[in-house]
Amino acid sequence: MSDDASSATDRDADTVLIAGTASHVGKSTLAAGLCRLLARRGVSVAPYKAQNMSNNARVALTPDGEWGEIGVSQHVQARAAETVPTTDTNPVLLKPRGGGESQIVVDGEAVANAPASAYYDEYWEEARDAAVTAHERLAADHDVIVAEGAGSVAEINLHDRDLANVECARFADARILIAVDIERGGAFASLYGTLELLPDDLRERVAGAVITKFRGDPEILEPGIDEIEDRTGVPIVGVVPHDDPGLPAEDSLSLPDGTSADSEGVLGADDGVPDDEAVRIGVPRLPRISNFTDLEPLAREPGVRVVYLPLDAALDGVDAVVLPGSKNTVDDLLALREAGFDAALRAFDGPVVGVCGGYQILGERLVDAGVEGTGDRETVPGVGLLPVETGFSTDKRVERVTCAVDGVGPIAGAEGEATGYEIRAGRTRLLDGKRGESTPTATEPLGAESVATDRTLGTYLHGLFETEGVRDAFVEAAFASAGRTRPDAAAVDRSPYDRAADLVADHVDLRAAGLGDLLGSPERVDD
């Protein structure tokens, strides 16, 4: 690849690349905040990530008008930018399957399962072409593109094939902001080393750096900032405080650690509701957990604690259970069984919801299991809470879905419509002879292939709890199970997108980075 700007494609939009010194340093938050800040100033802006690696996917429109998959961060950033998410915002998505292998998704469509070596040898050029073309389409339709890098921009072993950072900066002719997380320690050394290891042409594109996740008085950083600016010539254009705006998380690195019985992770405990007045919704931390952002709307409800449980945990301390999606349902089911979680579920008497892979796990059995899991198994018994079986094939359904709500079981009383998306490779059917038995069963309480009993619900609808009526009904069921009164809702806060925009507007000086031309009018415009 060329090392100069002559490799940049023709474009109409300006592109700024939010790169980082490492993974999980705040790139997604800065990108979402900048998208919303520009959008509320009247700038036409689109997010972009040339290549993402995540099992957390959302559905978006493809260039052909079909449905495809993108990483959740670009879906979130598109909402922040007040634009429709498309697969152009994340043209290449790698979804780890375990065993060193990933599913390769290009322009929203799964094209292969391959280890990293095969991806770079056989698919990388196709991936790069898709990324360039997607950027060109976005650039033709928008004024500004806010691109997000991946991991560290200074991974020297990958500089000749780093699609999300190096290649993106070149073909997008991007200016670069580098995010560095001070909470990890060694922020100045990390930034200095990153700048030293950049290819020369990328080093020239660096407009500034932003220190993220700072706790305390920023004045204490001034000597270090002065020194690093003198040594590198790169301005520190912002010190962003440690303040989580509540955006959906990008990947499982941000999940609370729940790998052992004494290390369960809890979300939602900072809402001001005493623990003895709250409910706990248990979520098994599946080894191959996917789309766990389905749980975040619950964690934002006052008095709700979403508790990520190790698989050997007891359920006597939780009031409801949600089984999340899985990238490999069969192997996660076997992991649950080995740890005894399936027996604990069968003994649990509170409401249970399974979403996608979690739904499949709750059924009577999985057939054609060798397609989904490892090994040559044909049939694997499920947990047995729902009278269904799931069969697997290589065909994959990816679609945005709106369905009627039949409020029964764990969502009793809910009505209207629910909107979400499906990403699955299995088909589930109600077993013959199961209608009308002593356990009441409702077919299609949430659209095709969903099933509910008096205490258990299974659905393929990701984003289920973003529908207020469904979320309220399930939260009410959890409080009823706990024998507690649900607290009054707290005052409505600003949206997480506006909170992220406020962090950028209040703590990052884009003009000091030479990026003031992106902002249009210098006056801040609030919603």
Side-chain angles (χ1 to χ4, degrees):
M1 304 300 167
S2 171
D3 283 349
D4 56 38
S6 63
S7 62
T9 60
D10 293 335
R11 84 257 182 252
D12 300 315
D14 291 307
T15 298
V16 55
L17 173 64
I18 310 295
T21 56
S23 297
H24 207 51
V25 297
K27 297 187 292 290
S28 296
T29 297
L30 290 177
L34 183 54
C35 281
R36 176 51 63 94
L37 179 62
L38 293 172
R40 68 188 190 188
R41 288 174 182 257
V43 177
S44 175
V45 56
Y48 177 76
K49 189 164 186 172
Q51 177 184 298
N52 202 347
M53 176 173 279
S54 176
N55 274 329
N56 230 358
R58 293 290 178 94
V59 167
L61 286 170
T62 71
D64 298 328
E66 304 295 332
W67 293 110
E69 300 179 61
I70 61 173
V72 70
S73 63
Q74 280 61 64
H75 189 278
V76 168
Q77 291 158 14
R79 294 181 65 181
E82 300 178 351
T83 190
V84 176
T86 70
T87 57
D88 282 345
T89 63
N90 178 206
V92 182
L93 175 62
L94 305 179
K95 303 181 75 174
R97 289 169 47 87
E101 186 177 86
S102 292
Q103 183 179 77
I104 302 168
V105 180
V106 178
D107 286 333
E109 181 179 356
V111 298
N113 297 322
S117 58
Y119 168 64
Y120 288 118
D121 290 343
E122 301 174 29
Y123 299 100
W124 191 82
E125 291 295 339
E126 175 188 350
R128 185 186 186 280
D129 289 345
V132 172
T133 302
H135 182 272
E136 289 173 343
R137 284 191 291 259
L138 291 176
D141 292 336
H142 298 278
D143 300 324
V144 176
I145 295 173
V146 177
E148 180 186 349
S152 169
V153 69
E155 299 289 357
I156 55 177
N157 57 310
L158 295 175
H159 273 176
D160 62 339
R161 51 190 173 175
D162 185 350
L163 188 52
N165 294 302
V166 176
E167 291 298 319
C168 175
R170 289 172 177 162
F171 67 65
D173 194 18
R175 290 172 282 181
I176 300 172
L177 276 181
I178 296 181
V180 52
D181 177 4
I182 200 167
E183 189 175 47
R184 295 169 177 240
F188 294 120
S190 180
L191 176 59
Y192 186 84
T194 295
L195 293 169
E196 285 293 305
L197 292 174
L198 286 181
D200 290 343
D201 63 308
L202 261 68
R203 178 66 175 76
E204 294 171 0
R205 296 178 181 278
V206 177
V210 178
I211 294 172
T212 64
K213 305 182 186 179
F214 180 71
R215 304 174 190 265
D217 184 352
E219 290 187 3
I220 199 172
L221 295 179
E222 289 180 1
I225 290 174
D226 290 342
E227 178 74 12
I228 200 72
E229 288 180 338
D230 286 344
R231 285 176 176 265
T232 66
V234 172
I236 304 297
V237 298
V239 177
V240 177
H242 195 290
D243 181 8
D244 181 6
L247 297 168
E250 169 60 45
D251 55 39
S252 59
L253 287 179
S254 61
L255 280 178
D257 181 23
T259 56
S260 62
D262 60 351
S263 64
E264 67 182 23
V266 181
L267 297 179
D270 55 354
D271 58 4
V273 178
D275 285 343
D276 60 0
E277 298 176 15
V279 294
R280 290 164 57 91
I281 297 176
V283 181
R285 203 182 196 289
L286 302 174
R288 301 157 190 85
I289 191 170
S290 174
N291 291 74
F292 60 86
T293 49
D294 286 341
L295 283 300
E296 292 186 356
L298 294 174
R300 293 195 291 268
E301 286 290 318
V304 174
R305 311 288 186 257
V306 173
V307 186
Y308 286 90
L309 300 169
L311 300 187
D312 58 354
L315 295 180
D316 51 4
V318 302
D319 306 297
V321 174
V322 177
L323 270 70
S326 167
K327 188 56 187 166
N328 191 317
T329 303
V330 174
D331 288 347
D332 275 352
L333 169 58
L334 294 174
L336 285 178
R337 178 163 296 128
E338 182 179 359
F341 199 92
D342 61 332
L345 267 179
R346 287 190 290 270
F348 182 66
D349 60 4
V352 178
V353 172
V355 179
C356 200
Y359 172 25
Q360 296 167 345
I361 286 171
L362 292 175
E364 294 282 350
R365 56 181 175 264
L366 306 176
V367 299
D368 299 319
V371 175
E372 172 71 4
T374 56
D376 56 359
R377 294 175 295 267
E378 289 299 320
T379 300
V380 177
V383 173
L385 291 186
L386 290 171
V388 298
E389 74 169 20
T390 297
F392 295 103
S393 71
T394 56
D395 294 332
K396 192 170 188 179
R397 175 182 170 91
V398 180
E399 189 170 356
R400 187 78 174 168
V401 175
T402 297
C403 62
V405 177
D406 179 5
V408 295
I411 59 169
E415 57 185 18
E417 291 185 333
T419 297
Y421 58 97
E422 294 184 8
I423 304 176
R424 58 181 168 110
R427 298 301 302 269
T428 298
R429 69 177 185 90
L430 189 68
L431 292 172
D432 293 339
K434 293 296 184 178
R435 287 184 175 85
E437 294 190 355
S438 57
T439 300
T441 301
T443 57
E444 301 189 356
L446 287 164
E449 299 183 59
S450 63
V451 173
T453 68
D454 55 351
R455 73 178 185 93
T456 306
L457 168 70
T459 177
Y460 280 109
L461 191 67
H462 289 292
L464 169 69
F465 297 117
E466 292 181 9
T467 297
E468 183 177 4
V470 173
R471 182 176 68 251
D472 278 346
F474 182 64
V475 171
E476 290 287 354
F479 274 97
S481 174
R484 294 176 181 159
T485 301
R486 187 178 179 182
D488 292 336
V492 177
D493 197 0
R494 287 174 66 79
S495 79
Y497 310 108
D498 285 312
R499 289 180 60 191
D502 290 345
L503 284 174
V504 174
D506 295 342
H507 301 285
V508 180
D509 187 350
L510 294 171
R511 286 182 172 78
L515 300 173
D517 55 314
L518 304 180
L519 298 173
S521 171
E523 291 80 18
R524 178 175 168 184
V525 180
D526 289 318
D527 290 344

